[in-house]
C-alpha cells in the first residue's frame, strides 16, 4: 500500500489547521483589543461628561455670585455701607424680574383675546408658554436677592398665569370641535374661567406686587 499520498494528505490538513488556529488567535486578540479600546473610550467619555457638568455648576455658581450678569459692578470696598449693597442688589433683581412678568401677563392676554375673536392662536400659545418658562427661570436665578413678600407674590403670579394659559389652551381646543349644546356650554365655562383668573386674580397679584416693589426700592432709606 502506498503511504506517500496519505502522508501528503495529512500534511496538507495540518497546515490548514495551523492556519485556522492562527486566524482564530488573531481574531480573539482583535476582539480583546476592541473591547479594551471601547471600555477606555467609555471611561474617557464619562470623564468628559463629569468635567462638563462640574464646569457647568461652577459657571452657574459664578453667574449667581455675580448677581446674574451684574458682575461688572466692582466688589464692595472695606467699610462700604452693607445696607446700600443689599438695596442695590435687590433693586437690580426686581429690574430684571418685573419686565419679564409684565411680558408674561401681556402675552397671556393676547392669547386669550385671539381665542375669543376666533383668530389663529397657535404661535401665541407658544409665546405665552415660553414667557412663563422664562419668568420662572429668571425668578429662580434672582430668588436669593428678593424680599420674602415679593418672592411669594412673584411665585403666585407665575402660577396663576400658567393656570390662565392652561384654561385658554382648553378653550382653544374645545373651540375647534363641532358646535353643539355641550361644547358651547364648556366654551362659556372656560371663557369665564380665563377672564376670572386673568382679570381678577392675576391682575390683583400684579398690583400687589407693584406696590410691594415700590415699598422695597422707592425709599430714600435703605431697607
Amino acid at each position: 500500500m502506498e503511504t506517500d499520498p496519505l502522508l501528503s494528505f495529512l500534511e496538507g490538513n495540518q497546515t490548514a489547521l495551523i492556519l485556522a488556529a492562527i486566524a482564530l488567535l488573531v481574531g480573539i486578540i482583535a476582539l480583546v483589543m476592541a473591547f479594551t479600546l471601547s471600555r477606555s473610550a467609555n471611561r474617557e467619555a464619562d470623564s468628559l461628561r463629569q468635567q462638563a457638568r462640574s464646569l457647568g455648576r461652577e459657571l452657574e455658581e459664578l453667574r449667581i455670585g455675580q448677581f446674574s450678569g451684574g458682575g461688572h459692578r466692582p466688589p464692595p470696598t472695606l467699610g462700604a455701607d452693607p445696607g446700600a449693597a443689599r438695596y442695590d442688589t435687590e433693586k437690580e433683581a426686581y429690574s430684571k424680574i418685573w419686565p419679564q412678568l409684565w411680558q408674561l401677563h401681556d402675552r397671556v392676554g393676547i392669547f386669550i383675546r385671539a381665542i375669543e375673536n376666533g383668530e389663529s392662536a397657535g404661535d401665541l400659545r407658544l409665546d405665552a408658554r415660553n414667557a412663563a418658562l422664562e419668568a420662572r427661570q429668571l425668578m429662580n436665578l434672582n430668588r436669593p436677592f428678593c424680599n420674602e413678600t415679593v418672592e411669594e407674590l412673584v411665585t403666585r403670579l407665575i402660577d396663576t398665569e400658567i393656570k390662565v394659559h392652561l384654561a385658554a389652551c382648553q378653550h382653544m381646543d374645545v373651540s375647534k370641535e363641532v358646535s353643539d349644546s355641550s361644547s358651547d356650554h364648556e366654551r362659556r365655562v372656560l371663557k369665564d374661567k380665563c377672564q376670572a383668573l386673568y382679570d381678577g386674580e392675576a391682575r390683583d397679584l400684579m398690583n400687589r406686587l407693584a406696590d410691594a416693589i415700590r415699598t422695597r426700592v422707592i425709599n430714600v432709606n435703605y431697607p
Side-chain angles (χ1 to χ4, degrees), residues 5-80:
L6 180 59
L7 292 174
S8 177
F9 174 76
L10 292 175
E11 291 175 356
N13 283 346
Q14 187 177 13
T15 303
L17 290 174
I18 293 173
L19 292 176
I22 293 173
L24 179 61
L25 181 61
V26 171
I28 293 173
I29 294 174
L31 287 175
V32 172
M33 292 180 64
F35 179 73
T36 302
L37 290 175
S38 177
R39 291 186 60 184
S40 178
N42 289 335
R43 285 196 297 269
E44 291 180 0
D46 290 338
S47 177
L48 288 175
R49 280 193 291 268
Q50 291 176 1
Q51 292 178 13
R53 285 194 292 267
S54 177
L55 180 59
R57 287 193 296 269
E58 291 176 1
L59 290 175
E60 186 68 17
E61 291 173 358
L62 178 61
R63 182 169 61 173
I64 293 175
Q66 294 177 335
F67 309 134
S68 302
H72 60 278
R73 291 176 175 230
T77 57
L78 185 63

Side-chain angles (χ1 to χ4, degrees), residues 3 6 11-12 15 25 31 36 59 70 73 92 99-100 102 104 106 108 112 133 140-141 162 182 191 196 202 205 220:
T3 59
L6 180 59
E11 291 175 356
T15 303
L25 181 61
L31 287 175
T36 302
L59 290 175
R73 291 176 175 230
E92 184 178 0
Q100 184 61 45
W102 179 255
L104 168 61
D106 185 58
V108 171
I112 293 174
L133 293 175
N140 289 336
L141 289 174
I162 291 175
S182 61
K191 179 180 178 180
L205 288 170
V220 294

Side-chain angles (χ1 to χ4, degrees), residues 60 63-64 68 97 132-146 151 154-155 158:
E60 186 68 17
R63 182 169 61 173
I64 293 175
S68 302
I97 294 172
L133 293 175
E134 291 170 5
R136 177 157 287 174
Q137 181 182 22
L138 194 61
M139 179 58 199
N140 289 336
L141 289 174
N142 290 275
R143 188 181 301 273
F145 318 121
C146 295
E151 177 188 350
V154 171
T155 301
I158 295 174

Side-chain angles (χ1 to χ4, degrees), residues 181-199:
S181 58
S182 61
S183 62
D184 287 340
H185 173 71
E186 188 174 2
R187 277 194 291 270
R188 286 193 297 271
V189 170
L190 290 171
K191 179 180 178 180
D192 292 340
K193 182 179 180 180
C194 289
Q195 291 177 345
L197 286 171
Y198 185 78
D199 295 328

